[in-house]
Amino acid sequence: MIRAGVLVLLLAGPAGAEGLCDAAWEKVLAGLVSFGTVSGTVGQEGDWCVVQGVILDLDGQYLPDWHADRLRMRGSALGWLVEGAGAPDGLEIGVEGLRLVVQTGNPQMDWLFAAQARPNAIRAETSLSWDAAARELRLEGLSIDFPGENLVELSAVVAGVDLSSTGAAQMSATSFALTEFDARITTHGLFEWYVLMALGPSMLPYEGDMDAAAEGLRAEMRAAVADLPGNSFPDASKAALGALIDELPNPSGDLTVSLRSEAGFGPSRLMPWAMTGVPRTVSEAAGVLDGVTVEVGWTHADAP
């Protein structure tokens, strides 16, 4: 009967569908309330729920707020999100004009930062599906298009996922296992903008020879790659990782990652660490990768 209720909303025409869109957006707001204040105007375009002018105003000064021109959502998972039952076998999400805007409290600088961020907008699209019989959650595709010829594309298959009820979904949080994962990342500044500045302050010393410190970090990473188990990381993958490390902190090119595991990689593999503690070296952690194969590729390409 709950599925029927969702169907009635969808068949009732624009007013009923907009009611579902409003309810789904309220659920999204509830999930983000711990991060800050969220605003946006909900509407409908065909079978899409559309939220215009989305702003996630993060709590705290100098934290970048998230702005998006449009957020689009559709799929049976919206009804599941609203009514808590049914078959959430499909969900599509699109984000247009996503940008991070720093808030300083100074009206002049805030206006300038907002104007500066607008031409550097990000576009993202993703599609999810759930196979109830196979208990598989599939990330059919996630594409994040950054400014300046930077792109992230992901797909994955996760086994042991049951979304038939809230309780079953909670149980899946400990039983799921990743069996397939594919990623392609094109970086021409992407690493520097979104990774380097996040990691650098915690990994580099406050003073001294930064080039020497960076080379020390690269040496540690090369040693860690050399210790990766050969049955999981073929020589070609290790060579690709080494080539990528050599280009840090300014890698330019295409990174590909493909993971396959028939048994799956999930929380159950990490449970022994709760008793023994997290391994201190890559060699000590090798057992967790039994039956997992990771192929990595790196192709240098100068920025266009």
Coordinates of all heavy atoms in Angstrom, one line a residue, residues 223-303:
A223 N 58.2 3.6 -1.1 CA 58.5 2.4 -0.2 C 57.2 1.7 0.1 O 57.1 0.4 0.1 CB 59.2 2.8 1.1
A224 N 56.1 2.4 0.3 CA 54.8 1.8 0.6 C 54.3 1.1 -0.6 O 53.7 0.0 -0.5 CB 53.8 2.9 1.1
V225 N 54.4 1.7 -1.8 CA 54.0 1.0 -3.0 C 54.8 -0.3 -3.2 O 54.2 -1.3 -3.6 CB 54.2 2.0 -4.2 CG1 54.0 1.2 -5.5 CG2 53.1 3.1 -4.1
A226 N 56.1 -0.2 -3.0 CA 56.9 -1.4 -3.2 C 56.5 -2.6 -2.2 O 56.6 -3.7 -2.6 CB 58.4 -1.1 -2.9
D227 N 55.9 -2.2 -1.1 CA 55.5 -3.2 -0.1 C 54.1 -3.8 -0.4 O 53.7 -4.8 0.2 CB 55.5 -2.7 1.3 CG 56.9 -2.5 1.9 OD1 57.8 -3.2 1.3 OD2 57.1 -1.7 2.8
L228 N 53.4 -3.2 -1.4 CA 52.1 -3.7 -1.7 C 52.1 -5.2 -2.2 O 53.1 -5.5 -2.9 CB 51.4 -2.8 -2.8 CG 51.0 -1.4 -2.4 CD1 50.6 -0.6 -3.6 CD2 49.8 -1.5 -1.3
P229 N 51.2 -6.0 -1.8 CA 51.3 -7.4 -2.2 C 51.1 -7.6 -3.7 O 50.2 -7.1 -4.3 CB 50.1 -8.1 -1.4 CG 49.1 -6.9 -1.1 CD 50.0 -5.7 -0.9
G230 N 52.1 -8.4 -4.2 CA 52.1 -8.5 -5.7 C 50.9 -9.3 -6.2 O 50.5 -9.1 -7.4
N231 N 50.3 -10.1 -5.4 CA 49.1 -10.9 -5.9 C 47.9 -10.0 -6.0 O 46.9 -10.3 -6.7 CB 48.8 -12.1 -5.0 CG 48.5 -11.6 -3.6 OD1 48.9 -10.6 -3.2 ND2 47.9 -12.5 -2.8
S232 N 47.9 -8.8 -5.4 CA 46.8 -7.8 -5.5 C 47.2 -6.7 -6.4 O 46.3 -6.1 -7.1 CB 46.4 -7.3 -4.2 OG 45.9 -8.3 -3.4
F233 N 48.4 -6.2 -6.4 CA 48.9 -5.1 -7.2 C 50.0 -5.6 -8.2 O 51.1 -5.8 -7.8 CB 49.5 -4.0 -6.3 CG 48.4 -3.2 -5.6 CD1 48.0 -3.7 -4.4 CD2 48.0 -2.0 -6.0 CE1 47.0 -3.0 -3.6 CE2 47.0 -1.3 -5.3 CZ 46.5 -1.8 -4.1
P234 N 49.6 -5.9 -9.5 CA 50.6 -6.3 -10.4 C 51.8 -5.3 -10.6 O 51.6 -4.1 -10.2 CB 49.8 -6.4 -11.7 CG 48.4 -6.5 -11.3 CD 48.3 -5.7 -10.0
D235 N 52.9 -5.7 -11.2 CA 54.0 -4.9 -11.3 C 53.7 -3.6 -12.1 O 54.2 -2.5 -11.8 CB 55.2 -5.6 -12.1 CG 55.8 -6.7 -11.2 OD1 55.6 -6.6 -9.9 OD2 56.5 -7.6 -11.7
A236 N 52.8 -3.8 -13.1 CA 52.4 -2.6 -13.9 C 51.7 -1.6 -13.1 O 51.8 -0.3 -13.3 CB 51.5 -3.0 -15.1
S237 N 50.9 -2.0 -12.1 CA 50.2 -1.1 -11.3 C 51.1 -0.4 -10.4 O 51.0 0.9 -10.1 CB 49.1 -1.8 -10.4 OG 48.1 -2.4 -11.2
K238 N 52.1 -1.1 -9.8 CA 53.1 -0.4 -9.0 C 53.9 0.6 -9.8 O 54.2 1.7 -9.2 CB 54.0 -1.5 -8.4 CG 53.4 -2.4 -7.3 CD 54.4 -3.3 -6.7 CE 53.7 -4.2 -5.6 NZ 54.7 -5.0 -4.9
A239 N 54.3 0.2 -11.0 CA 55.0 1.2 -11.8 C 54.2 2.4 -12.1 O 54.7 3.6 -12.1 CB 55.4 0.5 -13.1
A240 N 52.9 2.3 -12.3 CA 52.0 3.4 -12.6 C 52.0 4.3 -11.4 O 52.0 5.6 -11.5 CB 50.6 3.0 -13.0
L241 N 51.8 3.7 -10.2 CA 51.8 4.5 -9.0 C 53.1 5.2 -8.7 O 53.1 6.4 -8.3 CB 51.5 3.6 -7.8 CG 50.0 3.0 -7.7 CD1 49.9 2.0 -6.6 CD2 49.1 4.2 -7.4
G242 N 54.2 4.6 -9.0 CA 55.5 5.2 -8.9 C 55.6 6.4 -9.8 O 56.2 7.4 -9.4
A243 N 55.2 6.3 -11.0 CA 55.2 7.4 -12.0 C 54.4 8.5 -11.5 O 54.8 9.7 -11.7 CB 54.8 6.9 -13.4
L244 N 53.2 8.2 -11.0 CA 52.4 9.3 -10.4 C 53.0 10.0 -9.3 O 53.0 11.2 -9.2 CB 51.0 8.7 -10.0 CG 50.1 9.6 -9.2 CD1 49.7 10.8 -10.1 CD2 48.8 8.8 -8.8
I245 N 53.6 9.2 -8.4 CA 54.3 9.8 -7.2 C 55.4 10.7 -7.6 O 55.7 11.8 -7.1 CB 54.8 8.7 -6.3 CG1 53.7 8.0 -5.6 CG2 55.8 9.3 -5.2 CD1 54.1 6.7 -4.9
D246 N 56.2 10.3 -8.7 CA 57.3 11.1 -9.2 C 56.8 12.5 -9.6 O 57.6 13.5 -9.6 CB 58.0 10.4 -10.4 CG 58.8 9.2 -9.9 OD1 59.1 9.1 -8.7 OD2 59.1 8.4 -10.8
E247 N 55.5 12.7 -10.1 CA 55.0 13.9 -10.6 C 54.5 14.8 -9.5 O 54.2 16.0 -9.7 CB 54.0 13.7 -11.6 CG 54.5 13.1 -12.9 CD 53.6 13.3 -14.1 OE1 52.8 14.3 -14.1 OE2 53.6 12.5 -15.0
L248 N 54.3 14.3 -8.3 CA 53.7 15.1 -7.2 C 54.7 16.2 -6.8 O 55.9 16.0 -6.8 CB 53.5 14.2 -5.9 CG 52.4 13.1 -6.1 CD1 52.4 12.3 -4.8 CD2 51.1 13.7 -6.4
P249 N 54.2 17.4 -6.5 CA 52.8 17.8 -6.2 C 52.0 18.3 -7.4 O 51.0 18.9 -7.2 CB 53.0 18.9 -5.1 CG 54.2 19.6 -5.6 CD 55.1 18.5 -6.1
N250 N 52.6 18.2 -8.6 CA 51.9 18.7 -9.8 C 51.6 17.6 -10.8 O 52.2 17.7 -12.0 CB 52.7 19.9 -10.4 CG 52.9 21.0 -9.4 OD1 54.0 21.2 -8.9 ND2 51.8 21.7 -9.1
P251 N 50.9 16.6 -10.5 CA 50.6 15.6 -11.5 C 49.7 16.1 -12.6 O 48.8 16.9 -12.4 CB 49.9 14.5 -10.7 CG 49.2 15.2 -9.6 CD 50.1 16.4 -9.3
S252 N 50.0 15.7 -13.9 CA 49.2 16.1 -15.0 C 49.0 14.9 -15.9 O 49.9 14.4 -16.5 CB 49.9 17.3 -15.7 OG 49.1 17.7 -16.8
G253 N 47.7 14.5 -16.0 CA 47.4 13.3 -16.9 C 46.2 12.6 -16.4 O 45.3 13.1 -15.8
D254 N 46.2 11.3 -16.8 CA 45.0 10.4 -16.5 C 45.4 9.3 -15.6 O 46.3 8.5 -15.9 CB 44.4 9.9 -17.8 CG 43.9 11.0 -18.7 OD1 43.1 11.8 -18.2 OD2 44.2 11.0 -19.9
L255 N 44.6 9.1 -14.5 CA 44.8 8.0 -13.6 C 43.6 7.1 -13.7 O 42.4 7.6 -13.7 CB 44.9 8.6 -12.2 CG 44.8 7.5 -11.0 CD1 46.1 6.7 -11.1 CD2 44.6 8.2 -9.7
T256 N 43.8 5.8 -13.9 CA 42.8 4.8 -13.9 C 43.0 3.8 -12.8 O 44.1 3.4 -12.5 CB 42.7 4.1 -15.3 OG1 43.9 3.4 -15.5 CG2 42.4 5.1 -16.4
V257 N 41.9 3.4 -12.2 CA 41.9 2.4 -11.1 C 40.8 1.4 -11.3 O 39.6 1.8 -11.5 CB 41.8 3.0 -9.7 CG1 41.8 2.0 -8.6 CG2 42.9 4.1 -9.5
S258 N 41.1 0.1 -11.3 CA 40.1 -0.9 -11.5 C 40.3 -2.0 -10.4 O 41.4 -2.5 -10.3 CB 40.2 -1.6 -12.9 OG 39.3 -2.6 -13.0
L259 N 39.3 -2.2 -9.6 CA 39.3 -3.1 -8.5 C 38.3 -4.2 -8.8 O 37.2 -4.0 -9.1 CB 39.0 -2.5 -7.2 CG 39.0 -3.4 -5.9 CD1 39.5 -2.5 -4.7 CD2 37.6 -4.0 -5.6
R260 N 38.7 -5.5 -8.6 CA 37.9 -6.6 -8.7 C 38.1 -7.6 -7.5 O 39.2 -7.8 -7.1 CB 38.1 -7.4 -10.0 CG 37.8 -6.6 -11.3 CD 36.3 -6.3 -11.4 NE 35.9 -5.7 -12.6 CZ 35.9 -4.3 -12.8 NH1 36.3 -3.6 -11.8 NH2 35.6 -3.8 -13.9
S261 N 37.0 -8.1 -7.0 CA 37.0 -9.0 -5.9 C 35.8 -9.9 -5.9 O 34.7 -9.4 -5.7 CB 37.2 -8.3 -4.5 OG 37.1 -9.2 -3.4
E262 N 35.9 -11.2 -6.1 CA 34.8 -12.1 -6.2 C 34.1 -12.1 -4.8 O 32.9 -12.1 -4.7 CB 35.2 -13.5 -6.6 CG 34.0 -14.4 -6.8 CD 34.5 -15.7 -7.4 OE1 35.6 -15.8 -8.0 OE2 33.7 -16.7 -7.4
A263 N 34.9 -12.2 -3.8 CA 34.3 -12.3 -2.4 C 33.8 -10.9 -1.9 O 33.0 -10.8 -1.1 CB 35.3 -12.8 -1.4
G264 N 34.4 -9.9 -2.5 CA 34.0 -8.5 -2.1 C 34.9 -8.0 -1.0 O 35.5 -8.7 -0.2
F265 N 35.0 -6.6 -1.0 CA 35.8 -5.9 0.0 C 34.9 -5.1 0.8 O 34.3 -4.1 0.3 CB 36.9 -5.1 -0.7 CG 37.8 -4.4 0.3 CD1 39.0 -5.0 0.6 CD2 37.6 -3.2 0.8 CE1 39.9 -4.4 1.5 CE2 38.5 -2.6 1.7 CZ 39.6 -3.2 2.0
G266 N 34.8 -5.4 2.2 CA 33.9 -4.6 3.0 C 34.3 -4.6 4.4 O 35.4 -5.1 4.8
P267 N 33.3 -4.2 5.3 CA 33.7 -4.1 6.8 C 34.1 -5.4 7.4 O 34.9 -5.4 8.3 CB 32.3 -3.6 7.4 CG 31.6 -2.9 6.3 CD 32.0 -3.7 5.0
S268 N 33.6 -6.5 6.9 CA 34.0 -7.8 7.5 C 35.5 -8.1 7.5 O 36.0 -8.8 8.3 CB 33.2 -9.0 6.9 OG 33.5 -9.1 5.5
R269 N 36.1 -7.6 6.4 CA 37.6 -7.8 6.3 C 38.3 -7.0 7.3 O 39.5 -7.3 7.7 CB 38.0 -7.4 4.9 CG 37.6 -8.3 3.8 CD 38.2 -7.8 2.4 NE 37.9 -8.8 1.4 CZ 38.7 -9.6 0.8 NH1 40.0 -9.6 1.3 NH2 38.4 -10.4 -0.2
L270 N 37.7 -5.9 7.8 CA 38.4 -5.0 8.7 C 38.1 -5.3 10.2 O 38.8 -4.8 11.1 CB 38.1 -3.5 8.4 CG 38.3 -3.1 7.0 CD1 37.8 -1.6 6.8 CD2 39.7 -3.3 6.5
M271 N 37.2 -6.2 10.4 CA 36.8 -6.5 11.8 C 37.9 -7.0 12.7 O 38.0 -6.7 13.8 CB 35.6 -7.4 11.8 CG 34.3 -6.8 11.4 SD 32.9 -7.9 11.5 CE 31.5 -6.8 10.9
P272 N 38.8 -7.9 12.2 CA 39.9 -8.3 13.0 C 40.8 -7.2 13.6 O 41.3 -7.3 14.6 CB 40.7 -9.2 12.1 CG 39.7 -9.7 11.1 CD 38.8 -8.6 10.9
W273 N 40.8 -6.1 12.9 CA 41.6 -4.9 13.3 C 41.0 -4.4 14.6 O 41.8 -3.7 15.4 CB 41.7 -3.9 12.3 CG 42.5 -4.3 11.1 CD1 43.1 -5.5 10.8 CD2 42.7 -3.5 9.9 NE1 43.7 -5.5 9.6 CE2 43.5 -4.3 9.0 CE3 42.4 -2.2 9.5 CZ2 43.9 -3.8 7.8 CZ3 42.8 -1.8 8.3 CH2 43.6 -2.6 7.4
A274 N 39.7 -4.6 14.9 CA 39.2 -4.1 16.1 C 39.8 -4.8 17.3 O 39.8 -4.2 18.4 CB 37.6 -4.3 16.1
M275 N 40.3 -6.0 17.1 CA 40.9 -6.8 18.2 C 42.4 -6.6 18.2 O 43.0 -6.5 19.3 CB 40.6 -8.3 18.0 CG 39.1 -8.6 18.0 SD 38.3 -8.3 19.6 CE 39.2 -9.5 20.6
T276 N 43.0 -6.5 17.1 CA 44.5 -6.4 17.0 C 45.1 -5.0 16.8 O 46.2 -4.8 17.0 CB 45.0 -7.3 15.9 OG1 44.5 -6.8 14.6 CG2 44.5 -8.7 16.0
G277 N 44.2 -4.1 16.4 CA 44.6 -2.7 16.1 C 45.0 -2.6 14.7 O 45.2 -3.6 13.9
V278 N 45.0 -1.3 14.2 CA 45.3 -1.1 12.8 C 46.8 -1.4 12.5 O 47.7 -1.0 13.3 CB 45.1 0.4 12.5 CG1 45.5 0.7 11.0 CG2 43.6 0.8 12.7
P279 N 47.1 -2.1 11.4 CA 48.5 -2.5 11.1 C 49.3 -1.3 10.9 O 48.9 -0.2 10.5 CB 48.3 -3.2 9.8 CG 46.9 -3.7 9.8 CD 46.1 -2.7 10.5
R280 N 50.6 -1.4 11.3 CA 51.5 -0.3 11.3 C 52.2 -0.2 9.9 O 52.8 0.9 9.6 CB 52.6 -0.4 12.4 CG 52.0 -0.2 13.8 CD 53.0 -0.6 14.8 NE 53.4 -2.0 14.8 CZ 54.3 -2.6 15.5 NH1 54.9 -1.9 16.4 NH2 54.5 -3.9 15.4
T281 N 52.2 -1.2 9.1 CA 52.9 -1.2 7.8 C 52.0 -1.8 6.8 O 51.0 -2.5 7.1 CB 54.2 -2.0 7.9 OG1 53.9 -3.4 8.1 CG2 55.1 -1.6 9.0
V282 N 52.4 -1.5 5.5 CA 51.6 -2.1 4.4 C 51.7 -3.6 4.4 O 50.7 -4.3 4.1 CB 52.1 -1.5 3.1 CG1 51.5 -2.2 1.9 CG2 51.9 0.0 3.0
S283 N 52.9 -4.1 4.7 CA 53.0 -5.6 4.7 C 52.1 -6.3 5.7 O 51.5 -7.3 5.5 CB 54.5 -5.9 5.0 OG 55.3 -5.4 4.1
E284 N 51.9 -5.7 6.9 CA 51.1 -6.2 7.9 C 49.6 -6.2 7.5 O 48.8 -7.1 8.0 CB 51.2 -5.5 9.2 CG 52.6 -5.6 9.9 CD 52.7 -4.8 11.2 OE1 51.8 -4.1 11.5 OE2 53.8 -4.9 11.8
A285 N 49.3 -5.3 6.6 CA 47.9 -5.2 6.2 C 47.6 -6.0 4.9 O 46.4 -6.0 4.5 CB 47.5 -3.7 5.9
A286 N 48.6 -6.7 4.4 CA 48.4 -7.3 3.1 C 47.3 -8.4 3.1 O 46.6 -8.5 2.1 CB 49.7 -8.0 2.7
G287 N 47.0 -9.0 4.3 CA 46.0 -10.1 4.3 C 44.6 -9.6 4.0 O 43.8 -10.3 3.5
V288 N 44.4 -8.3 4.3 CA 43.0 -7.8 4.0 C 42.7 -7.7 2.5 O 41.6 -7.6 2.1 CB 42.9 -6.4 4.7 CG1 43.5 -5.3 3.9 CG2 41.4 -6.1 5.0
L289 N 43.8 -7.8 1.7 CA 43.6 -7.7 0.3 C 43.6 -9.1 -0.4 O 43.6 -9.1 -1.7 CB 44.7 -6.9 -0.3 CG 44.7 -5.4 0.1 CD1 46.0 -4.7 -0.4 CD2 43.5 -4.7 -0.5
D290 N 43.5 -10.1 0.3 CA 43.4 -11.5 -0.3 C 42.2 -11.6 -1.2 O 41.1 -11.2 -0.9 CB 43.3 -12.6 0.8 CG 44.6 -12.8 1.6 OD1 45.6 -12.3 1.1 OD2 44.5 -13.4 2.7
G291 N 42.5 -12.0 -2.4 CA 41.4 -12.1 -3.4 C 41.0 -10.8 -4.1 O 40.0 -10.8 -4.9
V292 N 41.7 -9.8 -3.8 CA 41.4 -8.4 -4.4 C 42.5 -8.1 -5.4 O 43.7 -8.2 -5.1 CB 41.4 -7.3 -3.3 CG1 41.1 -6.0 -4.0 CG2 40.3 -7.6 -2.3
T293 N 42.1 -7.7 -6.6 CA 43.1 -7.3 -7.6 C 42.8 -5.9 -8.0 O 41.7 -5.5 -8.3 CB 42.9 -8.2 -8.9 OG1 43.1 -9.6 -8.6 CG2 43.9 -7.8 -10.0
V294 N 43.9 -5.1 -8.0 CA 43.8 -3.7 -8.3 C 44.7 -3.4 -9.5 O 45.9 -3.6 -9.4 CB 44.2 -2.8 -7.1 CG1 44.0 -1.3 -7.4 CG2 43.3 -3.2 -5.9
E295 N 44.2 -2.9 -10.5 CA 45.0 -2.5 -11.7 C 45.0 -1.0 -11.8 O 43.9 -0.3 -11.8 CB 44.5 -3.1 -13.0 CG 44.6 -4.6 -13.0 CD 44.1 -5.2 -14.3 OE1 43.6 -4.5 -15.2 OE2 44.3 -6.5 -14.5
V296 N 46.1 -0.4 -11.8 CA 46.3 1.1 -11.8 C 47.0 1.5 -13.1 O 48.0 0.8 -13.5 CB 47.1 1.6 -10.6 CG1 47.2 3.1 -10.6 CG2 46.4 1.1 -9.3
G297 N 46.6 2.5 -13.7 CA 47.3 3.1 -14.9 C 47.5 4.6 -14.7 O 46.7 5.3 -14.1
W298 N 48.6 5.1 -15.2 CA 48.9 6.5 -15.2 C 49.5 6.9 -16.5 O 50.5 6.3 -16.9 CB 49.8 6.9 -14.0 CG 50.3 8.3 -14.1 CD1 51.6 8.7 -14.4 CD2 49.5 9.5 -13.9 NE1 51.6 10.1 -14.4 CE2 50.4 10.6 -14.1 CE3 48.2 9.7 -13.5 CZ2 50.0 11.9 -13.9 CZ3 47.8 11.0 -13.3 CH2 48.6 12.1 -13.5
T299 N 48.9 7.9 -17.2 CA 49.4 8.4 -18.4 C 49.6 9.9 -18.3 O 48.7 10.6 -18.0 CB 48.4 8.1 -19.6 OG1 48.1 6.7 -19.6 CG2 49.0 8.6 -20.9
H300 N 50.9 10.3 -18.4 CA 51.1 11.8 -18.3 C 50.6 12.5 -19.5 O 50.7 12.0 -20.7 CB 52.7 12.0 -18.2 CG 53.0 13.5 -18.3 ND1 52.9 14.3 -17.2 CD2 53.4 14.2 -19.3 CE1 53.3 15.5 -17.5 NE2 53.6 15.5 -18.8
A301 N 50.0 13.6 -19.3 CA 49.6 14.5 -20.4 C 49.7 15.9 -20.0 O 49.2 16.3 -18.9 CB 48.1 14.1 -20.8
D302 N 50.4 16.7 -20.8 CA 50.5 18.1 -20.4 C 49.1 18.8 -20.5 O 48.2 18.4 -21.2 CB 51.4 18.8 -21.4 CG 52.8 18.4 -21.2 OD1 53.2 18.0 -20.1 OD2 53.6 18.4 -22.2
A303 N 48.9 19.8 -19.6 CA 47.6 20.5 -19.6 C 47.3 21.1 -21.0 O 48.2 21.7 -21.6 CB 47.6 21.6 -18.6

